[in-house]
């Protein structure tokens, strides 16, 4: 084990082992936050401890992380108000957190251009997971690149997730030896699919709308990008949809499919029934997620596209995020629930 004040990367040169003290780690250097997290997660896995992220501070101008802290997943305690709530409908979940103070923190030092370990508390006040239990802790559930490649190959030939999960479990002599659950594998596959189709298809879609706008000045499309410059939300409506809204826009109905497309994004269709009892489409949107902010952005963009003319009534399902966004953006409008959803829920 190298000196704790060595300038080498502790994530590589120092192997995590049981029995480390604060003096062994404080002052050690890491090249990046990822290296620090990798080292602490490996250390925690070896001793049977779960890890979760805690405090993080970032410079506004450069965006560089200056402080990053990790704590035990048993940190904190349940508030007394939650346990003493007599109006609780459901039974409270069993107590898991024990107020454990095990933690690890690094600070960025500009003089050396590295992250320095400033806090390391190895003490814990709870049972540590055994080698047969540690893979069940969330922070240690991870799908490796090799496992992901194998799963994608099996999925490509039509093998279902549950089937290749059984196959992988047989390879390691039982599901208890897998470092991930079926949900972890599904989430990793979904993320990989979004990364593969997201960038090229997003650029193609925006280029398509830009080209259509040259031939149809009445076309309107708006989009937002996330922190990694990837497509987040997208709304579009052509000149026919905008004209129809001026004629039949007294009542607006919209609903979101539940991520049934290849991009796993909610598709929102804004429609209404015209005087001839035919469905009239006023616009479409692909949202990053079904949240209040996403729906508020959609409604504000829709209003701007339609000349800030609000509908008299709005019909939706029982989604709470929709309801709060309507209340914020469509002030004064009458909000009603769809009778089909009411009958289905009943």
């Amino acid at each position: 084990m190298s000196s704790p004040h060595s300038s080498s990367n502790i994530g590589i040169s120092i192997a995590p082992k049981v029995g480390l003290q604060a003096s062994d780690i404080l002052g050690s250097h890491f090249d990046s936050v990822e290296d620090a997290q990798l080292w602490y997660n490996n250390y925690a896995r070896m001793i049977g401890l779960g890890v979760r992220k805690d405090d993080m501070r970032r410079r506004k101008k450069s965006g560089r992380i200056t402080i990053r802290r990790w704590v035990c997943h048993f940190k904190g305690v349940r508030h007394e108000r939650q346990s003493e709530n007599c109006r609780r409908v459901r039974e409270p979940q069993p107590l898991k957190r024990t107020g454990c103070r095990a933690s690890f923190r690094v600070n960025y030092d500009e003089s050396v251009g590295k992250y320095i370990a400033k806090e390391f508390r190895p003490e814990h006040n709870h049972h540590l997971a055994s080698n047969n239990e540690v893979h069940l802790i969330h922070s240690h559930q991870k799908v490796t690149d090799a496992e992901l490649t194998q799963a994608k190959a099996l999925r490509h030939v039509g093998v279902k997730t549950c089937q290749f999960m059984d196959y992988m479990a047989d390879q390691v002599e039982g599901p208890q030896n897998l470092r991930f659950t079926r949900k972890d594998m599904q989430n990793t596959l979904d993320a990989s699919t979004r990364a593969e189709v997201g960038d090229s298809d997003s650029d193609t879609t925006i280029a398509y709308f830009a080209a259509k706008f040259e031939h149809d000045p009445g076309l309107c499309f708006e989009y937002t990008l996330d922190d990694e410059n990837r497509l987040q939300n997208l709304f579009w409506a052509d000149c026919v949809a905008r004209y129809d809204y001026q004629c039949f826009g007294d009542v607006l109905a919209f609903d979101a499919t539940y991520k049934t497309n290849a991009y796993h994004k909610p598709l929102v269709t804004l429609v209404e029934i015209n005087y001839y009892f035919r469905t009239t489409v006023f616009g479409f949107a692909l949202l990053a997620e079904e949240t209040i902010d996403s729906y508020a952005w959609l409604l504000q963009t829709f209003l701007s596209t339609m000349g800030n003319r609000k509908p008299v009534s709005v019909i939706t399902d029982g989604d709470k995020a929709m309801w709060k966004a309507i209340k914020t953006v469509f002030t004064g409008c009458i909000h009603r629930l769809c009778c089909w959803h009411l009958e289905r829920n009943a």
Side-chain angles (χ1 to χ4, degrees), residues 316-318 336-346:
T316 68
D317 61 8
R336 294 288 183 265
L337 297 180
C338 173
C339 61
W340 182 85
H341 286 93
L342 290 175
E343 292 176 357
R344 182 182 180 185
N345 294 334

Side-chain angles (χ1 to χ4, degrees), residues 22-36:
S23 57
D24 299 325
I25 304 302
L26 295 181
S28 301
H29 296 177
F30 297 88
D31 290 336
S32 65
V33 173
E34 291 75 17
D35 287 340

Side-chain angles (χ1 to χ4, degrees), residues 290-293 295 316-328 335 337:
E290 296 178 286
T291 61
I292 299 175
D293 292 338
Y295 283 124
T316 68
D317 61 8
D319 188 276
K320 293 182 179 180
M322 279 188 190
W323 179 81
K324 292 182 179 179
I326 291 171
K327 188 176 180 180
T328 302
H335 181 209
L337 297 180

Side-chain angles (χ1 to χ4, degrees), residues 44-63:
R45 176 178 173 80
M46 179 165 288
I47 68 172
L49 191 71
V51 176
R52 60 185 172 92
K53 296 177 181 178
D54 190 47
D55 185 32
M56 182 185 73
R57 299 182 186 179
R58 188 192 300 267
R59 284 200 179 94
K60 292 184 179 180
K61 293 184 178 181
S62 63

